[in-house]
C-alpha cells in the first residue's frame, strides 16, 4: 500500500480482522453473519478497506495449490 495508516486506522483494521474471524467461526457453525463497517466522513474508510483487501489478497496469493492446509491460518478467506 502506498499510504501509511494512522494509528486509529490500524486499530480499525485490526478490529475488522477480529470481526471477520468471529463471523467465520459462527458461519462454520451454520450461523451466518454480516459485518458492517462505518466511520465518520473523512476518517479513511476506503483506505482501511483497501488495506484489508490487500492483506487478504496477498495472503491468499502466497499459498500454492498443493499446500491448502495453510488456509487454516486464514479462516475467512475461503473453504475448499
Amino acid at each position: 500500500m502506498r499510504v501509511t495508516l494512522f494509528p486509529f486506522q490500524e486499530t480499525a483494521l485490526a478490529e475488522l480482522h477480529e470481526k471477520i474471524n468471529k463471523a467465520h467461526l459462527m458461519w462454520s457453525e451454520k450461523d451466518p453473519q454480516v459485518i458492517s463497517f462505518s466511520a465518520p466522513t473523512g476518517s479513511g474508510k476506503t483506505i482501511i478497506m483497501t488495506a484489508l483487501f490487500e492483506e487478504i489478497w496477498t495472503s491468499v496469493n502466497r499459498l500454492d495449490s498443493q499446500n491448502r492446509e495453510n488456509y487454516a491460518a486464514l479462516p475467512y478467506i475461503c473453504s475448499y
Side-chain angles (χ1 to χ4, degrees):
M1 183 166 212
R2 294 181 186 196
V3 197
T4 302
L5 298 178
F6 290 108
F8 70 90
Q9 293 170 327
E10 290 283 352
T11 301
L13 182 60
E15 289 173 1
L16 277 170
H17 277 292
E18 184 179 317
K19 289 179 182 185
I20 290 171
N21 285 328
K22 286 180 183 178
H24 182 265
L25 289 173
M26 295 183 86
W27 171 81
S28 64
E29 295 172 359
K30 307 291 186 225
D31 187 14
Q33 300 295 307
V34 173
I35 298 169
S36 176
F37 178 64
S38 63
T41 301
S43 61
K45 292 180 291 292
T46 303
I47 291 172
I48 295 166
M49 293 305 292
T50 301
L52 176 69
F53 295 143
E54 283 181 350
E55 288 178 7
I56 292 171
W57 182 253
T58 56
S59 297
V60 169
N61 282 339
R62 280 184 262 147
L63 302 175
D64 60 37
S65 59
Q66 282 74 40
N67 199 7
R68 296 294 181 196
E69 64 271 7
N70 286 336
Y71 275 101
L74 305 163
Y76 53 86
I77 303 299
C78 38
S79 300
Y80 284 95

